[in-house]
Amino acid sequence: MHKASRNWRRSAALALMAVAVCSRAWAAEGSLTAAGLLKDAATEVSYLSFDRALPLFQQAGKLAAPGSPQAEQALFGEAVCLQQITPATADRIGEASATYRKLAKKPDLVGVQSMMALGRIAELVDYLGDVPDRPAARQWYEKAREASGELADEATLRIAATYVQEMDTDSVKKGISILTDWLAGHPNNPLASAMWQYAGNTYLYPLNDYGPALECYLKADALGLMEKGREGPVYWRMANLADRLGKNDIAIIYYTKIIEKTPTSGKAYESQLALKRLGAPVPEIKLFRAGDKATPATAVPTTGPAAPTTSPTQPQPPAGKGVEKP
């Protein structure tokens, strides 16, 4: 995943996390109360305006009763803002980490979310000169998984990702094994589809193992792909993999899906050519016919299983590598 996109998703996910945490303190009160300030701060966070939210969280913390849930929520919100204000600096990341460490000692959801945040800080490069510490990230994710069933699936996905990011074959295979072992015991967890898709991406690159990659994508699709409205690129990848592997029946299914379900993906015409080459029926592209409906390629999901609070970092193939049209 492109770094800018990954960072935006991380910011958006943490924004939603902070909003969720602070929503518990909302009340029909003015902005000069701790509850009112938390509500105003959460609104700013929902717009990703972390610099505007920070002083509101800080003021709410001063007005909240020491040790109260509102004080805890204000402190967590402050840490999120310090982590997310751009450009990131070592001082702000250090201050956020110190706050998360205090909160991580608490036996509640905020404590577990703080562990996850500490894992993410260790996992990613946040500023110039920063270096990832994946073993430390894994330790925080393991603690979060042990402490909370609610975030255990996401923590497992993060643990696996830290091994995949090592990029050596043994570590990458260990990351996949962590996912498949977890899925064996939790086949219908809310992130099962994302786990199968991530495993498929990893088999594809860096392992270049097309057969298992296709099997993982098929399992993800059977559960329902996570990004509703963005299935086209995954369908195209699946069709290409099946085509290369000589699994024409599967290739035909997904070339057809591209034409009929995601014609705005940009691959409908090429899918028609592929179906013709395979001797299969070629559906008409109905995108421009009056009254027909198609899934927009840029649709934003509004329902379905909860997405990870932050998307796992997926290594990308060098330019010119990967699965292209057969």
Side-chain angles (χ1 to χ4, degrees):
M1 184 177 296
H2 190 275
K3 183 175 180 181
S5 173
R6 183 170 74 244
N7 289 341
W8 183 90
R9 287 170 182 245
R10 179 181 62 176
S11 299
L14 281 170
L16 294 175
M17 185 191 302
V19 170
V21 168
C22 295
S23 65
R24 302 176 199 151
W26 292 2
E29 302 182 44
S31 294
L32 295 181
T33 65
L37 287 164
L38 285 172
K39 182 176 181 179
D40 291 346
T43 298
E44 294 295 345
V45 167
S46 70
Y47 299 143
L48 304 184
S49 299
F50 299 104
D51 55 335
R52 294 170 64 92
L54 178 59
L56 296 173
F57 280 124
Q58 291 171 330
Q59 190 176 356
K62 293 176 182 177
L63 292 177
S68 67
Q70 288 181 340
E72 181 181 85
Q73 292 150 12
L75 195 58
F76 180 79
E78 182 178 342
V80 169
C81 292
L82 288 168
Q83 181 186 358
Q84 295 301 318
I85 290 174
T86 55
T89 66
D91 288 343
R92 278 200 296 270
I93 295 297
E95 191 175 348
S97 295
T99 301
Y100 284 137
R101 287 177 183 276
K102 292 178 183 177
L103 292 170
K105 298 175 182 178
K106 296 182 176 292
D108 56 17
L109 183 58
V110 170
V112 179
Q113 288 171 327
S114 297
M115 295 176 193
M116 293 292 289
L118 284 164
R120 202 61 172 162
I121 287 173
E123 180 186 352
L124 298 180
V125 173
D126 290 298
Y127 52 85
L128 184 64
D130 190 18
V131 293
D133 187 347
R134 297 187 188 102
R138 284 192 282 271
Q139 289 180 0
W140 283 115
Y141 294 145
E142 287 282 7
K143 288 181 179 180
R145 183 166 67 171
E146 292 170 3
S148 170
E150 186 173 344
L151 294 179
D153 300 318
E154 183 182 346
T156 300
L157 186 56
R158 301 294 161 217
I159 293 166
T162 62
Y163 281 106
V164 172
Q165 291 162 33
E166 300 288 358
M167 293 299 287
D168 65 273
T169 300
D170 289 342
S171 295
V172 171
K173 289 183 176 179
K174 183 170 183 177
I176 293 175
S177 178
I178 288 170
L179 289 180
T180 54
D181 288 349
W182 185 262
L183 284 161
H186 309 81
N188 296 310
N189 78 76
L191 297 181
S193 178
M195 289 179 172
W196 282 121
Q197 188 170 338
Y198 187 75
N201 291 348
T202 304
Y203 272 120
L204 183 58
Y205 182 81
L207 295 181
N208 296 312
D209 197 344
Y210 291 177
L214 178 59
E215 291 302 316
C216 289
Y217 288 136
L218 288 169
K219 290 176 180 178
D221 189 37
L223 291 168
L225 297 178
M226 292 291 290
E227 293 191 277
K228 303 301 180 184
R230 295 186 175 91
E231 297 94 342
V234 183
Y235 288 166
W236 176 250
R237 185 174 296 174
M238 294 171 71
N240 272 255
L241 285 169
D243 207 339
R244 285 183 175 233
L245 292 166
K247 297 185 177 184
N248 292 356
D249 54 339
I250 296 176
I252 289 168
I253 288 171
Y254 283 94
Y255 284 132
T256 302
K257 277 190 173 187
I258 291 168
I259 298 166
E260 295 182 341
K261 296 184 179 296
T262 63
T264 59
S265 64
K267 296 297 184 180
Y269 177 66
E270 290 178 80
S271 295
Q272 285 185 317
L273 295 179
L275 288 171
K276 183 177 180 180
R277 172 172 51 79
L278 293 171
V282 181
E284 179 185 357
I285 300 174
K286 298 181 180 180
L287 177 61
F288 302 109
R289 291 180 58 175
D292 285 324
K293 295 182 179 179
T295 303
T298 57
V300 177
T302 56
T303 60
T309 57
T310 49
S311 56
T313 304
Q314 181 75 50
Q316 294 297 294
K321 296 291 179 80
V323 177
E324 299 295 338
K325 113 181 136 170

